[in-house]
Amino acid sequence: MFDDVRHGNASAGPDRVDALLGDPAFLVHADPDEVLAMLDGARSTSGRRAAAVYRASAHVHRDATARVRRQLLALDAARYGDRELSARITAVTVQGEAAARWGTDWATGSQVDHRIRHTLSGHCGPVSAVTTALVDGRTLALTGGSDGTVRAWDLATGRQFREPLTGHTGPVVAAAMVANSRSLMVTAGWDGTVRVWDLATWQQVREPLTGHDGGVNAVATAVVRGRTLIVGAGRDRTVRVWDLATGEPVGQPLIGHDASLCSVDVVAPDGRILAVTGGHDGTVRRWDLATGEAAGEPLIRHDDGVHAVASAVVDGRVLTLTGGEDGTVGVWDLATGAQIGAPADGHSGRVCAVTTVAVDGRTLAVTGGEGPTVRVWDIATREEARRPLACDYGGWVYAVAATVVDGRVLAVIGGYDGGVRVWDLTAGAEVGEPLAGHDDTVYAVVTVVVDRRSLAVTCSHDGTVRLWDLATGRQVGRSRSDQDGTVTVVVDGSTLDISSGRDRRVRVRDRDTGEEHVSPPFPDHATGEGATVVVDGRVLTVTGDPHEDDRGTLQVWDLGICEEAEPALVFPAPVGALTVTPDGELVVAFGREIAVLTRR
């Protein structure tokens, strides 16, 4: 039916692309990879709207049946406010399936964003580490999660690349590419190990690097006197160094911090290769990797822990910037060990994120943390370069990155509320609306160039990795109730109280006779909060999927026979709450969204 698309002819012209995207049957039935490949070619208003609707749940479409795709596309069209398109999609015929029984009347759209390209979901829990690499001609984002896996994502297609790398037995919290290598990556985890991966063979290299007594919070690499070294910073207050070629420790552990380490960086002032570490003891320490000794006295100025470290070259000097628990930003000369001036004081609480960027001949630091502002500092003067970047981040900023796009210097900021915000540092103004998509705190942001496009890669506590095209502002690429609830319905003159509990059974009690019927246990699917509706004299209960993954489902059950009444409804986020209106409409809360479904 869509041979012109399958044979690569969809890119022949924007008119043809717009025509195809305007056909609801094409959206429902065409191969998702083919559709995703043509979405950028939309030119008309309706074509771009249809492309945005398709992208909103693209991560589900790839593995969905046509029936599920039909229902999701109709839901997303309603989330974009296009009820007419939603109705047209709902009416599409799917071979071998009954006509759609539920249509979306309306839905909120706080999670949808016309800039979405891809949502990278796969980790079962928070994503804590991210780096990028070029493998087999593909630019990849490599991520580590609390599920103990390392996953790779093709930034051009938004698809997961190969199978996850497994081996860590706890959360993976740090990742870095090996210096002077195009294919080797190191990861660190709370299982106390550092692991080396060959991305060309997709295998772990030798046994894990061990030695830390407890979790490893940060990792870096360096080339010293021809040897490639791996540096780990641990919860055990030590810095440990291994020889990549042999896997053996280099020298004794570097001891000096009085509390857990949280960051490590490698710099080269005056020809020396130094590891710079920050810890919860409020100090920054320098270690000469050639000698295995401390390089000067510790840089002690923060009143409490150091949460962020970044480096920059200013006027020929290699400087380290530190963000502290005390809300200050310190600047240090790594050659002399001296702090340069007084700490920059302006944040109302701890500083969690620091990055540097060159703007108009000046080197600026962009810092964020506790509080609703991001601050921009001139490193040379330690004065604020412009007014704070102020908006509602939900109280915290955890990640900051900077890059240059079309001559503009942009800061990409991830916050506690899950939003990703972009600021033009040259103009001092926010660029567009926040990039909406994450459902939880954004912990990491990196920037990368793919096919001459500047992308931001963001990682979140919601378990997803998302990509954003900074030139266009488009994305590339849960609550659960355990309370028993009772609803009351009237069927054929009888008043029935219907309740569903944590035992996965539904109870139906007739108020007039006192007679009660208890269903057998529903499958695990039905342990979520439920709602009940009467259709054609049948009492149906609708239950939400309790599993926290990248989607949610509703199942409709016929209480008369205690079996599924119809195929499940699928949502792009876990279903957290349900209710039914007096008119028999189903109100569904999924993620941060609300949709109203009407029986057809």
Side-chain angles (χ1 to χ4, degrees):
M1 180 164 51
F2 306 113
D3 287 341
D4 53 346
V5 177
R6 294 194 181 98
H7 290 94
N9 297 323
S11 60
D15 291 342
R16 181 57 177 156
V17 170
D18 288 331
L20 287 170
L21 295 181
D23 180 359
F26 170 76
L27 298 176
V28 170
H29 291 289
D31 180 83
D33 283 328
E34 300 287 357
V35 179
L36 289 168
M38 66 184 292
L39 296 183
D40 286 344
R43 292 294 180 267
S44 68
T45 300
S46 60
R48 289 197 297 268
R49 183 185 299 115
V53 168
Y54 200 93
R55 287 189 181 107
S57 298
H59 59 296
V60 182
H61 293 325
R62 281 189 169 117
D63 300 320
T65 64
R67 178 190 65 80
V68 171
R69 199 176 302 121
R70 174 181 64 184
Q71 183 246 311
L72 273 175
L73 287 168
L75 172 65
D76 286 330
R79 294 166 78 197
Y80 274 102
D82 196 332
R83 297 177 64 179
E84 188 270 339
L85 177 60
S86 178
R88 290 172 57 211
I89 293 172
T90 300
V92 170
T93 299
V94 176
Q95 186 175 3
E97 297 285 351
R101 301 299 302 273
W102 295 88
T104 305
D105 191 15
W106 62 265
T108 59
S110 64
Q111 283 183 329
V112 300
D113 196 306
H114 70 280
R115 296 165 286 195
I116 282 180
R117 294 287 298 279
H118 301 299
T119 297
L120 310 182
S121 58
H123 285 288
C124 300
V127 180
S128 305
V130 61
T131 188
T132 58
L134 185 66
V135 178
D136 295 338
R138 305 169 187 252
T139 304
L140 305 181
L142 297 126
T143 59
S146 64
D147 57 3
T149 68
V150 178
R151 297 173 186 262
W153 314 89
D154 187 323
L155 298 190
T157 66
R159 302 208 67 171
Q160 186 166 317
F161 180 71
R162 298 184 180 174
E163 294 299 313
L165 299 172
T166 59
H168 283 286
T169 58
V172 180
V173 296
M177 294 301 296
V178 173
N180 289 357
S181 172
R182 294 174 62 99
S183 65
L184 294 182
M185 176 183 66
V186 292
T187 57
W190 285 0
D191 59 1
T193 69
V194 172
R195 296 171 188 260
V196 182
W197 311 88
D198 189 329
L199 301 182
T201 63
W202 217 245
Q203 299 291 325
Q204 183 171 321
V205 179
R206 71 175 59 82
E207 294 299 312
L209 308 179
T210 60
H212 282 289
D213 184 13
V216 184
N217 289 334
V219 67
T221 68
V223 177
V224 180
R225 296 176 179 173
R227 288 197 302 174
T228 300
L229 305 182
I230 299 172
V231 185
R235 287 183 168 185
D236 60 0
R237 309 178 184 181
T238 70
V239 180
R240 295 176 186 263
V241 183
W242 296 270
D243 187 321
L244 173 65
T246 65
E248 295 297 321
V250 176
Q252 296 299 312
L254 307 179
I255 300 174
H257 284 283
D258 295 328
S260 172
L261 279 73
C262 52
S263 60
V264 61
D265 198 4
V266 173
V267 295
D270 299 335
R272 293 185 299 166
I273 309 298
L274 302 184
V276 184
T277 56
H280 289 289
D281 57 0
T283 69
V284 175
R285 294 177 179 264
R286 300 158 297 153
W287 312 91
D288 190 322
L289 294 179
T291 65
E293 298 178 352
E297 294 299 315
L299 314 179
I300 307 175
R301 289 298 184 276
H302 289 287
D303 293 334
D304 211 329
V306 177
H307 291 275
V309 176
S311 298
V313 178
V314 179
D315 296 332
R317 291 190 297 178
V318 180
L319 306 181
T320 283
L321 287 79
T322 58
E325 178 85 19
D326 57 5
T328 66
V329 178
V331 182
W332 314 85
D333 186 325
L334 287 187
T336 65
Q339 185 173 9
I340 301 175
D345 188 358
H347 286 281
S348 59
R350 73 181 66 173
V351 179
C352 301
V354 178
T355 193
T356 62
V357 63
V359 180
D360 298 332
R362 295 187 297 171
T363 302
L364 305 183
V366 185
T367 60
E370 186 175 2
T373 61
V374 171
R375 296 180 179 270
V376 183
W377 313 85
D378 186 318
I379 297 177
T381 65
R382 293 166 309 287
E383 299 290 337
E384 290 197 65
R386 60 185 77 257
R387 296 176 60 184
L389 313 180
C391 59
D392 183 11
Y393 293 93
W396 289 82
V397 173
Y398 281 104
V400 176
T403 189
V404 178
V405 178
D406 297 333
R408 296 185 301 168
V409 181
L410 303 182
V412 186
I413 301 161
Y416 180 82
D417 62 354
V420 178
R421 289 154 173 92
V422 182
W423 285 79
D424 185 330
L425 297 185
T426 306
E430 188 167 4
V431 179
E433 296 297 319
L435 308 180
H438 285 298
D439 299 336
D440 209 334
T441 301
V442 176
Y443 277 109
V445 177
V446 296
T447 58
V448 64
V449 177
V450 180
D451 295 334
R452 292 177 292 182
R453 290 190 300 169
S454 294
L455 306 181
V457 184
T458 57
C459 294
S460 169
H461 206 284
D462 64 6
T464 68
V465 183
R466 298 177 187 264
L467 289 76
W468 311 88
D469 187 322
L470 296 178
T472 65
R474 293 188 304 182
Q475 185 173 327
V476 183
R478 303 172 162 145
S479 63
R480 178 62 47 204
S481 172
D482 289 327
Q483 301 298 318
D484 293 347
T486 300
V487 295
T488 302
V489 298
V490 178
V491 181
D492 295 332
S494 299
T495 301
L496 306 179
D497 290 331
I498 304 174
S499 62
S500 58
R502 285 170 285 186
D503 61 357
R504 295 186 286 114
R505 299 176 185 270
V506 173
R507 292 165 173 79
V508 183
R509 180 179 181 276
D510 190 317
R511 285 191 181 182
D512 298 326
T513 66
E515 185 178 3
E516 184 176 68
H517 300 280
V518 181
S519 76
F522 284 131
D524 287 344
H525 166 94
T527 58
E529 187 173 339
T532 301
V533 62
V534 178
V535 179
D536 299 331
R538 292 191 301 163
V539 180
L540 306 181
T541 187
V542 186
T543 59
D545 188 347
H547 300 295
E548 295 185 1
D549 53 17
D550 61 348
R551 69 191 70 180
T553 60
L554 292 183
Q555 186 63 62
V556 183
W557 308 86
D558 187 329
L559 293 187
I561 58 176
C562 198
E563 292 182 359
E564 295 180 11
E566 58 194 49
L569 302 172
V570 179
F571 293 82
V575 174
L578 310 170
T579 190
V580 63
T581 72
D583 295 330
E585 295 174 315
L586 190 62
V587 182
V588 184
F590 57 99
R592 297 180 184 175
E593 309 293 344
I594 297 174
V596 177
L597 307 182
T598 303
R599 189 78 172 183
R600 289 168 55 86

